[in-house]
Amino acid sequence: MPETRRTGEGAFASSEAVFRMETARDGCCRGALFTRRRFVAASVLGLAGACASFLLPGCSTSKNIVVEEAESTPIDTKLTFFGFKYESINVAVIEDILRAYMDAHPNVSVSYEGIKSRPYYEALKKRLASGNGDDVFMVDHDTELLFEERGYLADLSDVRTIPLFSSLALSQMKAESSILYMPTSISAFGLYCNTDLLASHDVAVPRTIGAFESACETFLAAGLTPVVANNDISLKTLAIARGMAEVYAASDAERRIEALSDDPDALSAQLRPGLDLVERFVERGYVDAALALTTEKTADDLEQFATGRYPFMLTGAWASVRVHDMAPDLAYEVHPYPVLDGDPVLVVNVDTRVGVNANGTHVDAAKDFAAFFTEPSAIERFANSQCSFSPLEGNAAPDDEALKPLAGAFSSSVVIGSDDNVHLPVWGAARQGVVSLLEGSSAAVVQDQMRALLAEGAGEAR
């Protein structure tokens, strides 16, 4: 075995190892190219310098990999994997899965590149439209609708791990005639509650909309802004929870969802109570509208909540691990959304969806890698690392104690935020609608705006 040497604090590299960086097609610093069997972590400082030398923003992860030189097996297949998981806390398990796959397939190398979610989708569309798409990439509900029509997605119906998925995941994957993606997690969205701050103001964790609004009034009277909201998912998931809860709770839920599936008028009307709720939160000052417009998801919002000065935050459960790191002494729990007069509602998405480029040069190899990525030994670790539920049978809950209140609602009060059985781009339309509400538009105006956006999206998909 080659002699090792220290290359930075807490990091070692083989004396025969080399570090390889590539520049991405759209100007981002590509993550390390994983091409060999044995890996050693490189120093964060050293890799930051490597990225800086390109003078380019958006490195895919702060934790890259030093790769050992070839042993004996020649590489005859090079796969590229593009996604929106870009921070080291997200990428660590992806790295482990990639190196395990390459250990089992010595003739294959896989490189992963990740950038932030909204810029990611623009880059993904450009790559696929140009014919230079990656072999494997992540999609969401709205882009899947578009990509299906454009023939970008390979049929994954024959992938060996399909039977392992839960009924909830399969209800999404099989919404169309063929399976075009494989989910690697089920994300949940929740109300983060600063339990010490609530206790100091004699406020219980709210379970109904009345209790939630009463709590917000209590904190407003104390001079505190009640709710941290970002400019993306916070208020749109609140609106979807309120607007769609009765649909998913109905005994004929499948029929009702089908009736909304291709009808922009009906869907925007169904969401109107949720838009009214967000309008009320903005008007009453439960959220700081001006601040929310500039608050980035899983970044600025967490910094605000970590100060301990806010009683509530609306965002994804996946952010919990970051909150623990940012504020180790902050006592908090994450609960389902209290948006009804009765039980709270859990909003989930069957997501971090992996698709295969139907027009790629290594379709079969890419499908084999997708199967490996969704085997239980890989996917359970990945979902847990994302503080998400597993998409496999049993839907294992994440280990994080702060998220335990979400697990109880998972089997009883679930709304799917971007349902594959709804053939309209509700996820994107809801975000734009909520931005308009934060800018001062009324719920009536935003309902009309969403109707137009849903109709436009349906036209694009067709």
Side-chain angles (χ1 to χ4, degrees):
M1 180 170 178
E3 180 183 358
T4 60
R5 67 179 187 275
R6 184 178 293 273
T7 61
E9 184 178 354
F12 292 85
S14 164
S15 58
E16 297 179 5
V18 294
F19 175 68
R20 301 181 62 187
M21 295 290 292
E22 291 187 350
T23 303
R25 288 183 287 276
D26 50 5
C28 286
C29 190
R30 182 184 290 277
L33 184 61
F34 305 138
T35 58
R36 296 296 175 244
R37 306 320 94 205
R38 294 192 297 270
F39 296 77
V40 189
S43 77
V44 172
L45 290 177
L47 298 180
C51 288
S53 68
F54 288 99
L55 299 178
L56 294 172
C59 286
S60 57
T61 172
S62 60
K63 179 180 182 243
N64 285 278
I65 295 296
V66 169
V67 186
E68 287 199 6
E69 280 300 317
E71 293 170 350
S72 58
T73 306
I75 299 299
D76 55 34
T77 302
K78 294 183 178 181
L79 299 177
T80 61
F81 181 12
F82 190 32
F84 50 76
K85 298 297 182 181
Y86 68 97
E87 294 180 341
S88 59
I89 199 168
N90 288 324
V91 175
V93 176
I94 295 178
E95 293 173 351
D96 290 343
I97 295 170
L98 263 60
R99 59 177 80 128
Y101 181 79
M102 289 185 288
D103 281 342
H105 301 80
N107 64 319
V108 179
S109 70
V110 188
S111 62
Y112 175 77
E113 177 192 353
I115 60 177
K116 287 186 177 181
S117 57
R118 276 188 276 158
Y120 164 78
Y121 286 110
E122 291 304 313
L124 177 63
K125 291 174 186 176
K126 290 178 181 177
R127 292 183 183 191
L128 290 167
S130 71
N132 294 314
D134 297 87
D135 298 292
V136 183
F137 46 80
M138 295 178 184
V139 294
D140 65 1
H141 170 266
D142 292 4
T143 52
E144 185 214 337
L145 291 175
L146 181 64
F147 289 179
E148 178 187 10
E149 294 298 320
R150 295 183 180 179
Y152 293 158
L153 295 168
D155 186 354
L156 305 180
S157 301
D158 60 345
V159 173
R160 64 180 181 274
T161 51
I162 296 296
L164 303 179
F165 286 88
S166 69
S167 58
L168 173 62
L170 288 171
S171 75
Q172 301 298 293
M173 298 161 66
K174 294 183 175 181
E176 304 301 332
S177 57
S178 57
I179 294 176
L180 300 177
Y181 71 85
M182 301 173 72
T184 57
S185 66
I186 296 181
S187 297
F189 302 85
L191 180 68
Y192 284 65
C193 300
N194 180 332
T195 52
D196 285 344
L197 196 54
L198 266 63
S200 67
H201 288 78
D202 198 25
V203 173
V205 171
R207 290 185 54 81
T208 66
I209 186 57
F212 191 13
E213 293 184 322
S214 176
C216 288
E217 291 293 341
T218 296
F219 288 111
L220 275 180
L224 298 173
T225 299
V227 181
V228 173
N230 60 55
N231 60 12
D232 188 353
I233 58 173
S234 295
L235 296 172
K236 81 177 180 186
T237 51
L238 195 73
I240 291 171
R242 176 65 184 88
M244 298 297 290
E246 65 164 339
V247 173
Y248 284 90
S251 58
D252 59 345
E254 289 186 10
R255 183 192 65 79
R256 294 191 61 175
I257 291 169
E258 183 179 1
L260 297 172
S261 178
D262 296 293
D263 190 339
D265 291 334
L267 183 55
S268 58
Q270 183 67 48
L271 291 169
R272 176 60 186 271
L275 301 177
D276 288 335
L277 177 62
V278 173
E279 180 183 30
R280 193 159 69 245
F281 271 50
V282 172
E283 287 182 343
R284 295 180 179 177
Y286 297 166
V287 298
D288 183 332
L291 180 59
L293 283 168
T294 62
T295 296
E296 291 296 319
K297 174 182 69 178
T298 325
D300 304 330
D301 50 356
L302 308 191
E303 292 179 2
Q304 295 169 31
F305 189 68
T307 65
R309 297 194 296 268
Y310 293 85
F312 302 114
M313 175 174 66
L314 297 163
T315 197
W318 64 79
S320 182
V321 65
R322 294 174 178 81
V323 176
H324 287 308
D325 288 342
M326 295 169 71
D329 297 326
L330 180 66
Y332 69 93
E333 297 174 349
V334 187
H335 288 259
Y337 285 166
V339 292
L340 303 175
D341 293 330
D343 291 336
V345 174
L346 180 63
V347 179
V348 301
N349 273 342
V350 176
D351 62 9
T352 321
R353 305 172 175 198
V354 174
V356 169
N357 186 355
N359 304 311
T361 56
H362 304 293
V363 175
D364 289 340
K367 289 172 68 172
D368 185 70
F369 169 71
F372 187 90
F373 199 95
T374 51
E375 289 178 354
S377 59
I379 202 170
E380 299 284 6
R381 287 183 58 219
F382 179 77
N384 190 51
S385 76
Q386 308 296 307
C387 289
S388 298
F389 291 86
S390 167
L392 301 185
E393 187 64 42
N395 297 123
D399 293 336
D400 190 333
E401 285 294 325
L403 304 178
K404 294 302 181 186
L406 300 181
F410 190 87
S411 60
S412 59
S413 304
V414 167
V415 165
I416 301 176
S418 55
D419 195 326
D420 284 83
N421 296 285
V422 176
H423 305 142
L424 298 170
V426 63
W427 199 241
R431 179 185 182 274
Q432 293 185 58
V434 164
V435 167
S436 295
L437 289 168
L438 289 170
E439 292 173 339
S441 294
S442 68
V445 168
V446 171
Q447 180 183 344
D448 289 338
Q449 177 189 4
M450 285 194 62
R451 182 189 301 114
L453 289 168
L454 293 169
E456 178 184 351
E460 287 181 0
R462 286 194 291 269

